Amino acid sequence: MEKLSRVKVQSMLSVVSSKPIESGKIHRFSSLDQAMGLHTIHIVFYYSSNPFEDGPMPSDLDNLRVALSRLLDQFPTVTGRLTRGVDGAWEVKCNDAGVRMLQASVGCTLVEWLRSADASEERDLTVWEDMPQDPSFWSPFRIQITNFKCGGVAIGLSCSHIHADITSATMLIKSWAEVHSGQPLTHSPIFHLPPAISSPNNSISSFSPSKYTDPPPKMSTITMKFSGPVIKKHLLQIQKQCPDATPFDILVALFWSRIAHWQEPLPNDKQKQTRSLCICTDSRRNQQITYGYFGNALYFSVLDVDADKLMSGELGLVTESVHNHIEGLKRDDFLSFINSFGEERNKDEKGPFQMYGPRLTCISIEHENMMYDAMFRKGERPVHVSYHVGNVGREGLIMVMPSGDAGLGQIVMVTLPEKQVASLSKDQAVLDLEPVMVLSGMR
């Protein structure tokens, strides 16, 4: 029997920009944007109080619409609608169609929700519907405001991955908070890569996505929060092998090495002697690309490690491999991937591709703490932020991000086949890092 949702939707409306959009304006997606079409992004920002209650308008809904409407003046690709260009590729017809917004409520407190809800129930905070065959009236961006019994609120954003990556989607909410609080935008949006980056490049990344994918088994997500002191302790323990290791390095090494015990080698693993991990990083971090770039600027690379080394239990050795791989990524690697993806590799197939999960994939969000800077009221940071990627393949996804606490604290969200998640939640090597379970579904 299907479990009844605790989230009750009360209203739905559209929010449009406060100024008319330039007539006939079209935004053409990059090859990398097109390749991401199988996936969606879902983010939930949790706040301990409703930041929209105070304002010049009579209701909190009116107050949040005012700031969002002003923000959308600068994001024509968000308010527009998808259409096919003359070459058959997706593009945005920039118009004033607007963003779908829902208002909902939950009959429990925020603290109770974070203790009792699971990842499946959390999706009810991010309204989404699959793209229809004719998307000319379909909103690719959807926002849901959910009120908790205690006065807390969740802001859920869902969007197509064609339009934006995780950084862009996060920056959209952060920019909304800045407009609402009367602050200037930290990063003004731009929608095209600089000429030096968008020019042709013949080098090809070693990453090979899957064009087609079988339906994955039933997937589940587990969220674990690791404290700064515990992370620091374990970094000190491996300092001899990898003195410059980061929290991302050691957590990816830990989870990859544990998951490898339950996963069969992929056909492309060399004679089962190596195991592969796809590492997804944000090219804004090392490139001359502003964080205001609104689109996809992710870079997917592959790390191969000897299978015996991976499963030996020597965490320092695996951490060193992850760290050296990340540090070894060069500017030209990023440029090559962004420029030539979908053009040189697949002249007849522009995507979309299965980008997450054809092999176990991890995403680094550790370098940027901006999700906790989304403050609609001064000094009131989110108490928790969750990220989900839609349509993850059967090998799964590891996401590592800051916890919002001062120091080295991290949150790891892992999406795997249901049986593997059950094993991971009881794995002693993981439990030795004393994780706190968040959204664990324990009532």
Side-chain angles (χ1 to χ4, degrees):
M1 177 181 290
E2 185 176 349
K3 185 171 64 176
L4 291 176
S5 174
R6 289 186 286 172
V7 180
K8 306 301 181 186
V9 175
Q10 297 159 331
S11 64
M12 181 175 71
L13 50 82
S14 292
V15 180
V16 300
S17 54
S18 65
K19 298 177 182 177
I21 303 248
E22 175 187 345
S23 178
K25 184 179 179 64
I26 296 291
H27 171 74
R28 292 178 174 82
F29 293 115
S30 71
S31 297
L32 180 56
D33 293 334
Q34 300 280 352
M36 307 303 294
L38 285 179
H39 300 290
T40 53
I41 292 174
H42 312 268
I43 311 177
V44 184
F45 292 76
Y46 292 96
Y47 296 87
S48 58
S49 62
N50 188 338
F52 306 112
E53 289 179 332
D54 302 325
M57 305 299 286
S59 73
D60 55 350
L61 186 60
D62 290 329
N63 287 318
L64 68 89
R65 287 173 63 188
V66 169
L68 181 58
S69 182
R70 288 164 50 202
L71 175 70
L72 293 177
D73 292 344
Q74 303 184 56
F75 288 87
T77 62
V78 173
T79 62
R81 295 295 181 260
L82 284 168
T83 185
R84 293 284 189 182
V86 293
D87 60 352
W90 287 114
E91 58 187 30
V92 179
K93 181 179 180 181
C94 301
N95 55 30
D96 297 312
V99 172
R100 293 284 186 269
M101 176 174 285
L102 282 78
Q103 192 166 36
S105 64
V106 177
C108 68
T109 67
L110 177 56
V111 171
E112 290 170 342
W113 175 269
L114 292 175
R115 288 177 178 170
S116 64
D118 58 22
S120 176
E121 194 172 20
E122 188 180 41
R123 293 190 186 96
D124 292 338
L125 303 181
T126 61
V127 61
W128 181 253
E129 64 180 31
D130 292 333
M131 183 193 304
Q133 188 172 2
D134 177 10
S136 55
F137 296 100
W138 177 77
S139 175
F141 285 80
R142 292 159 186 269
I143 295 173
Q144 180 170 311
I145 309 297
T146 304
N147 294 290
F148 291 92
K149 191 176 180 180
C150 60
V153 68
I155 300 176
L157 170 68
S158 293
C159 66
S160 70
H161 214 318
I162 297 176
H163 286 76
D165 57 20
I166 285 174
T167 300
S168 294
T170 302
M171 191 57 67
L172 182 67
I173 298 297
K174 183 176 182 295
S175 298
W176 180 16
E178 289 169 341
V179 171
H180 180 79
S181 59
Q183 303 297 315
L185 296 189
T186 303
H187 301 284
S188 297
I190 64 169
F191 300 93
H192 298 282
L193 294 169
I197 293 176
S198 58
S199 60
N201 187 303
N202 292 325
S203 177
I204 301 297
S205 166
S206 61
F207 174 76
S208 297
S210 296
K211 177 64 179 176
Y212 305 105
T213 179
D214 295 327
K218 187 174 181 180
M219 306 292 278
S220 183
T221 298
I222 188 170
T223 301
M224 299 181 178
K225 184 175 182 179
F226 298 88
S227 71
V230 169
I231 294 292
K232 183 177 181 179
K233 172 186 173 183
H234 283 76
L235 286 173
L236 289 173
Q237 290 176 354
I238 63 165
Q239 190 171 34
K240 184 175 180 180
Q241 295 103 321
C242 191
D244 298 320
T246 67
F248 174 80
D249 298 333
I250 194 170
L251 287 171
V252 168
L254 172 66
F255 280 89
W256 182 22
S257 63
R258 303 316 299 163
I259 293 169
H261 287 81
W262 312 310
Q263 291 186 321
E264 291 295 324
L266 294 174
N268 55 355
D269 287 339
K270 301 168 186 176
Q271 300 178 352
K272 299 186 179 181
Q273 295 176 357
T274 64
R275 294 295 180 92
S276 298
L277 177 72
C278 177
I279 299 180
C280 176
T281 53
D282 190 333
S283 62
R284 296 173 183 85
R285 181 182 183 185
N286 295 322
Q287 301 306 303
Q288 315 242 329
I289 306 174
T290 172
Y291 274 92
Y293 172 63
F294 196 82
N296 284 282
L298 300 178
Y299 175 64
F300 293 79
S301 60
V302 177
L303 169 61
D304 295 317
V305 167
D306 180 83
D308 291 337
K309 175 181 174 180
L310 179 63
M311 293 186 280
S312 67
E314 293 291 336
L315 186 59
L317 295 177
V318 183
T319 301
E320 182 183 30
S321 296
V322 174
H323 178 79
N324 290 343
H325 178 83
I326 297 289
E327 292 300 308
L329 297 176
K330 300 179 176 61
R331 173 180 167 83
D332 287 345
D333 294 332
F334 289 100
L335 299 181
S336 169
F337 185 81
I338 292 174
N339 295 334
S340 60
F341 192 90
E343 297 174 4
E344 295 294 329
R345 188 199 319 277
N346 294 283
K347 295 181 184 296
D348 298 322
E349 295 182 355
K350 303 292 186 183
F353 299 98
Q354 186 80 45
M355 300 294 289
Y356 301 95
R359 55 168 61 84
L360 185 64
T361 305
C362 67
I363 304 178
S364 169
I365 317 177
E366 71 158 344
H367 63 278
E368 192 55 55
N369 209 16
M370 63 184 175
M371 68 277 283
Y372 294 102
D373 292 333
M375 294 180 284
F376 288 85
R377 276 200 290 240
K378 186 176 180 180
E380 294 189 14
R381 295 156 62 88
V383 296
H384 181 68
V385 181
S386 289
Y387 289 91
H388 298 274
V389 174
N391 199 23
V392 172
R394 65 177 60 246
E395 294 301 308
L397 177 65
I398 305 167
M399 305 180 73
V400 182
M401 64 201 79
S403 66
D405 301 329
L408 300 175
Q410 300 286 300
I411 288 176
V412 179
M413 297 184 66
V414 184
T415 300
L416 294 168
E418 205 169 49
K419 290 183 179 179
Q420 293 182 21
V421 167
S423 298
L424 187 65
S425 66
K426 297 178 288 186
D427 187 89
Q428 191 58 50
V430 174
L431 295 178
D432 284 345
L433 269 72
E434 304 171 33
V436 174
M437 302 296 180
V438 183
L439 295 163
S440 63
M442 300 298 294
R443 298 194 182 181

